Amino acid sequence: MLRVFVSAVVALVLCAGVGLTQDKAKKKNTIVQGTVKKVDAATGTLTVTIKGKKGTEPTDKEFKVHDATKVTVFSEGQEKPKQLTGKEGLKDTEIKEGAKVAVVTDDAGKVVQIRVNQPKKKKENK
């Protein structure tokens, strides 16, 4: 009876460990950085020009914004960024042609977050 119980506990622990590692692998997001080429708030699309790697031309990529997409707009002189969501976030005046943008997508390609005019992190000298 004790052997059956110990075997069942070991099997349960192993299965739980495999399940946890699969969940972590699914939550991988991709960040694409570039400049805004075109914004269409009515249809919820954002076209971004992405720099090409050495020797390649820049490419345009279109992203579809969903109702749950978070839009974070950094404005010069403001302490905290504006937090908006969905298509309404694309109507902000800071989201215009030429603005620096970072688009975060999940592994399925769905847009999770858009960050506009995000300042670069300052490096600390040690």
Side-chain angles (χ1 to χ4, degrees), residues 40-57:
D40 188 353
T43 60
T45 57
L46 177 70
T47 306
V48 177
T49 302
I50 303 164
K51 275 189 197 178
K53 294 182 180 178
K54 281 189 175 179
T56 61
E57 292 291 318

Side-chain angles (χ1 to χ4, degrees), residues 30-112:
T30 305
I31 300 174
V32 176
Q33 295 182 342
T35 56
V36 175
K37 181 175 183 178
K38 182 177 156 189
V39 179
D40 188 353
T43 60
T45 57
L46 177 70
T47 306
V48 177
T49 302
I50 303 164
K51 275 189 197 178
K53 294 182 180 178
K54 281 189 175 179
T56 61
E57 292 291 318
T59 58
D60 293 341
K61 186 165 182 174
E62 190 173 280
F63 295 97
K64 183 78 175 160
V65 176
H66 304 278
D67 292 335
T69 302
K70 295 177 184 176
V71 181
T72 305
V73 181
F74 295 86
S75 298
E76 197 171 318
Q78 287 188 340
E79 236 177 81
K80 291 186 177 183
K82 286 187 249 179
Q83 300 290 335
L84 308 165
T85 55
K87 294 178 185 178
E88 291 298 316
L90 294 180
K91 294 179 182 178
D92 191 89
T93 57
E94 293 287 324
I95 304 175
K96 58 187 174 190
E97 188 175 333
K100 299 287 182 193
V101 67
V103 180
V104 181
T105 58
D106 62 9
D107 59 342
K110 184 177 177 182
V111 179
V112 177

